[in-house]
Amino acid sequence: MMKRNLKFLLLSPLLMAILCEPEEDICGVDDPESYIVNVENNAETYQQNETIWLNARTSSMLMDFCTDLQEPELITDAEVFLDGLFVLKLNNLPGLNAEVFNDAEIIYDIGEAYSFNSCSNAVNCLPQLTDDSQFYQYRLGISINTPGDYCIVNARNSFFNLEQENNANIFNGYNALEDRIRFQDCGDTYTRNGTEGFYFFSIN
């Protein structure tokens, strides 16, 4: 019993040193503010091959915890500000009410397409720094030639302007999953709750 207590007394300073060792300083960049996506030609119905224009921007100034600066600074790595959108065709499949639509034509007016090494059917956009270096922005067009009802939802860090009409009534005929939009991409199932922050439209 005495030996056991002695062993504990000898080891306790080492244990306390491990437990009390300060955490390593966190090094990294703060998350960007969410993009607010605006639809320039907002409408409930578009014609086949008509282009739906979307634009968004977010501040280029972030806290960099790897430096000693106490104020936000310009981040020159555009990949930090990547954004992505899923273009979905609404349907009534068992357990799902949307599917990723891959036949849309995407026009990158500001920013450019971005490809991941892993599988993703989202429209991924690498934004462009504005001339005054205050914002990262993108502008892209989506053109669809297949009639039906559609929805665009976020794949990364964005939502649609809630002050705009988002045509949520189009979703009523597909709302069979307790006010959820559920779809699959690359074998994974994704869920988006409600209708706010997304954009619905029909193609004639």
Side-chain angles (χ1 to χ4, degrees), residues 19 73 191:
L19 291 174
E73 59 182 289
T191 300

Side-chain angles (χ1 to χ4, degrees), residues 2-186:
M2 188 70 174
K3 286 183 179 179
R4 192 177 301 165
N5 289 339
L6 185 60
K7 187 182 289 185
F8 176 77
L9 288 172
L10 290 173
L11 290 176
S12 59
L14 180 61
L15 291 172
M16 291 301 292
I18 293 171
L19 291 174
C20 298
E21 186 176 329
E23 293 183 11
E24 292 183 15
D25 291 337
I26 298 173
C27 181
V29 178
D30 202 7
D31 291 332
E33 294 180 2
S34 296
Y35 284 99
I36 299 176
V37 183
N38 297 289
V39 183
E40 295 178 15
N41 52 336
N42 189 313
E44 185 169 331
T45 302
Y46 299 90
Q47 300 304 309
Q48 293 179 48
N49 294 320
E50 183 178 356
T51 301
I52 304 167
W53 287 103
L54 312 176
N55 69 68
R57 61 167 44 186
T58 190
S59 174
S60 61
M61 311 294 286
L62 299 177
M63 292 295 296
D64 186 348
F65 300 109
C66 301
T67 70
D68 294 329
L69 296 178
Q70 300 299 313
E71 295 181 358
E73 59 182 289
L74 173 64
I75 305 299
T76 56
D77 182 3
E79 289 188 12
V80 173
F81 300 88
L82 280 173
D83 198 24
L85 303 166
F86 282 111
V87 179
L88 306 176
K89 191 173 190 296
L90 300 176
N91 57 38
N92 285 306
L93 295 172
L96 305 170
N97 52 10
E99 59 186 326
V100 177
F101 187 78
N102 291 317
D103 290 333
E105 180 185 353
I106 310 299
I107 304 165
Y108 292 90
D109 181 54
I110 299 174
E112 59 187 69
Y114 186 89
S115 296
F116 291 93
N117 293 329
S118 58
C119 178
S120 173
N121 291 305
V123 177
N124 293 299
C125 184
L126 185 69
Q128 180 178 313
L129 191 62
T130 56
D131 291 340
D132 62 6
S133 298
Q134 294 299 303
F135 300 95
Y136 277 95
Q137 64 179 357
Y138 64 85
R139 182 176 187 260
L140 58 84
I142 298 175
S143 178
I144 297 173
N145 64 7
T146 303
D149 296 325
Y150 294 84
C151 178
I152 306 176
V153 302
N154 60 299
R156 294 180 64 82
N157 187 33
S158 61
F159 58 89
F160 282 83
N161 188 342
L162 300 182
E163 294 180 2
Q164 286 185 318
E165 174 57 53
N166 74 339
N167 310 315
N169 58 292
I170 291 174
F171 184 59
N172 291 341
Y174 307 91
N175 192 1
L177 299 174
E178 299 179 345
D179 208 27
R180 292 184 176 92
I181 303 167
R182 188 171 296 147
F183 59 97
Q184 290 185 334
D185 184 49
C186 297

